[in-house]
Amino acid sequence: MCEECYSDEARVTPLLEPEKCLRNHTQYICSTCGRCICIESDKKRGIRRWNFPFKSAEVAKLYLRAAEVSVETCCGIYEIKNERGRKAYKIFESVEALNIYLAKNKDKKCETMQPIYESEQYRQVKSAQVRKLTDLEVRNYLKEQLGDKNNLL
C-alpha cells in the first residue's frame, strides 16, 4: 500500500469516465506512486469529488488523500445509513463535520460515530502536485491504467 495515497494500485483512479476526468479536472498527483486523484470542485454545488457518498469503504479510501490535501488535516471514512438501511461511505475531516452533515440530513445516521478508517497523521508532502495534466500525461496514464506499460508514448 502506498503510504502517501493509501492505494494498492498506482493507476486505479479515476473510476468514472477516466479520460474525461484526467483531461478536464484538477488532479492530486501522488509523489510516491504517481496515482492521480480527482480533487476538482463541482462548480454548481461547491463540493469536491471526495465529498460525494461512495458505495464502499474501499472506494472512499481511494479519495481519502484528496480530502486530506483539501482540508490539510487527517480525515476519516464513516459508514452512513439512510432510513431504508442502505449504506454509503463518506469522508469527513472531523466528527463535528459529520454531525453538521447528519443535522442537515435527518434521514441519515452513523451508528458508531467512529470512522471505519482514518490515517494516523496528516503528512504534507512538498513534492506532491495539484494541477491539470498535459495531453501526454493523460495518454500515458491511461495506457498504464490499461496495463500497456511497455508501449508508453
Side-chain angles (χ1 to χ4, degrees):
M1 178 174 82
C2 179
E3 290 183 15
E4 181 180 342
C5 73
Y6 319 119
S7 178
D8 293 327
E9 299 176 52
R11 297 295 179 266
V12 69
T13 48
L15 300 174
L16 301 174
E17 300 184 67
E19 184 172 1
K20 181 179 176 185
C21 183
L22 291 169
R23 288 196 187 285
N24 300 310
H25 296 166
T26 303
Q27 305 290 322
Y28 172 83
I29 304 167
C30 178
S31 64
T32 303
C33 71
R35 183 167 72 95
C36 291
I37 311 165
C38 185
I39 199 167
E40 187 79 10
S41 180
D42 181 316
K43 308 287 189 259
K44 292 179 185 173
R45 294 182 269 182
I47 58 176
R48 295 183 186 266
R49 173 67 184 109
W50 61 265
N51 289 125
F52 295 122
F54 297 97
K55 291 181 180 180
S56 72
E58 293 78 22
V59 172
K61 193 173 176 183
L62 295 175
Y63 290 89
L64 184 60
R65 182 63 184 162
E68 292 178 338
V69 169
S70 296
V71 297
E72 296 183 336
T73 191
C74 287
C75 293
I77 299 169
Y78 294 81
E79 183 180 87
I80 308 293
K81 288 185 183 177
N82 68 12
E83 294 173 327
R84 291 174 250 127
R86 184 174 179 200
K87 294 178 185 177
Y89 299 85
K90 286 189 60 73
I91 299 170
F92 294 98
E93 64 268 23
S94 65
V95 174
E96 292 80 20
L98 169 63
N99 282 324
I100 291 168
Y101 172 81
L102 294 172
K104 291 179 181 177
N105 296 275
K106 301 287 187 195
D107 63 323
K108 299 194 172 48
K109 62 183 177 180
C110 179
E111 292 175 345
T112 66
M113 296 301 289
Q114 297 291 319
I116 58 171
Y117 181 85
E118 69 181 331
S119 54
E120 294 176 19
Q121 69 178 33
Y122 174 70
R123 295 181 324 141
Q124 188 169 3
V125 180
K126 293 182 193 287
S127 57
Q129 300 176 49
V130 176
R131 63 178 175 82
K132 291 193 176 185
L133 302 180
T134 66
D135 286 340
L136 180 59
E137 288 172 320
V138 170
R139 286 195 303 260
N140 284 343
Y141 193 91
L142 290 170
K143 282 186 178 187
E144 291 172 6
Q145 195 176 49
L146 295 171
D148 192 10
K149 295 179 182 174
N150 295 327
N151 294 317
L152 295 181
L153 297 174

